[in-house]
Amino acid sequence: MSFPDGSIFHYLSNVIDILVVWFVIYKLIMLIRGTKAVQLLKGIFIIIIVKLLSIFLDLQTVGWITDQILTWGFLAIIIIFQPELRRALETLGRGSFISKAGSKREKEQRFLIDSIEKSVSYMGKRRIGALISIERGTGLDDYIETGISLDADISSQLLINIFIPNTPLHDGAVIIKNNKIAAAAGYLPLSDSPFLSKELGTRHRAALGISEVTDSLTVVVSEETGGISITKGGELFREVTPERLHEILEKELVVPAQKKPSVFAKWKGGRKE
């Protein structure tokens, strides 16, 4: 395939131009995610859609109103969101604009790991049964809908409180999505594996079952022994130590793009069913 003189450079320039624009847009979205500016962004999109409809349907009055909003709205945005814009420029000046979104996500993931470790340690010592499934690449919305919607910030105290016996939400699974507790008292599919030990109950079968149909990571606390188990990819590992639990959660949940081969592939400790 041949290119006329200079055309390949023009083509590469256009590609780089598009990639830079998309990269900046993506970083801006990540920067404002979780702030009140998100609602403002939604409002701007709605106004733009109304403007396009007014052109298509020849709605002159509506078009004039949207023109005025778009003309003066950006000035109002600068005034109203002056503190947020200042912080964004300060972040850019410190050179942390590119890494802020990634570091924020990593911080959330590590807080999630810490909350799970503290809660299962507490419940294991007191033999409080628990079942916690963490969404990863495959969506768990179908299973979230079977439980009680919470959409709550993660904390070890809340996880412990959910699984306290004889409370309304203790029977079933807690499902974590986007580092938040999406639902409690959810129902997970039970495994039909004939190799699963008969001494294991419904919680372990549910944990293994969800790992067979999704890529979720699921932690189980046995009500009978207080032992901690974990499942992933159709495999169940029992009686894991706190150190091993931390290693697995760290490897599987924190910055997955930079991970080495799964810890499950080289695990030598614990008992495998």
Side-chain angles (χ1 to χ4, degrees):
M1 183 176 180
S2 62
F3 292 91
D5 292 342
S7 65
I8 187 171
F9 298 104
H10 180 70
Y11 173 77
L12 290 175
S13 176
N14 289 335
V15 171
I16 294 173
D17 191 25
I18 294 172
L19 291 176
V20 169
V21 170
W22 276 111
F23 179 78
V24 171
I25 292 174
Y26 169 75
K27 288 301 179 181
L28 285 173
I29 292 174
M30 296 300 292
L31 184 65
I32 68 175
R33 187 179 64 172
T35 69
K36 58 183 179 181
V38 174
Q39 300 302 322
L40 174 67
L41 191 61
K42 292 179 181 178
I44 292 174
F45 282 133
I46 292 173
I47 293 172
I48 292 174
I49 291 172
V50 171
K51 173 60 180 177
L52 294 175
L53 288 176
S54 70
I55 296 173
F56 180 76
L57 300 174
D58 195 25
L59 304 175
Q60 297 182 6
T61 304
V62 174
W64 180 83
I65 293 173
T66 53
D67 283 340
Q68 299 306 307
I69 294 174
L70 292 173
T71 300
W72 298 101
F74 287 103
L75 179 60
I77 290 172
I78 294 174
I79 296 173
I80 295 172
F81 288 92
Q82 184 263 342
E84 285 79 3
L85 291 173
R86 185 178 67 249
R87 283 196 296 269
L89 291 174
E90 290 173 351
T91 300
L92 181 61
R94 291 193 299 266
S96 58
F97 178 78
I98 294 177
S99 62
K100 181 176 180 181
S103 61
K104 178 181 177 182
R105 178 167 177 78
E106 181 178 347
K107 183 178 179 181
E108 292 174 347
Q109 291 169 332
R110 292 190 183 281
F111 185 76
L112 167 64
I113 291 172
D114 183 64
S115 299
I116 292 175
E117 289 176 347
K118 288 180 178 178
S119 62
V120 299
S121 174
Y122 179 94
M123 292 185 286
K125 293 175 181 177
R126 292 158 180 79
R127 298 190 179 183
I128 298 173
L131 179 60
I132 304 170
S133 189
I134 307 163
E135 181 185 279
R136 301 175 74 205
T138 307
L140 298 179
D141 289 346
D142 290 343
Y143 307 105
I144 291 173
E145 292 175 358
T146 66
I148 306 299
S149 178
L150 294 182
D151 191 29
D153 291 335
I154 189 79
S155 72
S156 58
Q157 294 88 345
L158 181 55
L159 287 172
I160 293 169
N161 192 69
I162 288 173
F163 289 110
I164 293 297
N166 302 320
T167 56
L169 300 180
H170 87 283
D171 190 17
V174 160
I175 301 176
I176 296 175
K177 177 179 181 179
N178 295 328
N179 297 315
K180 301 188 75 173
I181 301 177
Y187 291 93
L188 304 182
L190 301 181
S191 174
D192 295 325
S193 173
F195 303 105
L196 195 62
S197 173
K198 300 299 182 182
E199 67 186 42
L200 298 179
T202 304
R203 285 193 182 90
H204 290 83
R205 287 193 173 274
L208 186 60
I210 193 65
S211 74
E212 291 171 344
V213 296
T214 72
D215 63 351
S216 62
L217 194 68
T218 304
V219 180
V220 188
V221 180
S222 172
E223 189 172 350
E224 287 73 25
T225 66
I228 299 171
S229 304
I230 191 165
T231 66
K232 176 185 177 290
E235 294 180 290
L236 169 65
F237 297 89
R238 299 174 56 189
E239 305 297 335
V240 299
T241 63
E243 294 76 18
R244 181 62 70 181
L245 176 64
H246 177 79
E247 178 186 349
I248 297 169
L249 295 176
E250 180 89 8
K251 289 284 187 181
E252 301 295 332
L253 297 181
V254 178
V255 196
Q258 300 179 2
K259 289 186 308 180
K260 301 299 181 183
S262 171
V263 68
F264 285 88
K266 55 182 180 180
W267 185 346
K268 301 302 182 180
R271 284 197 295 155
K272 179 177 174 181
E273 291 296 327

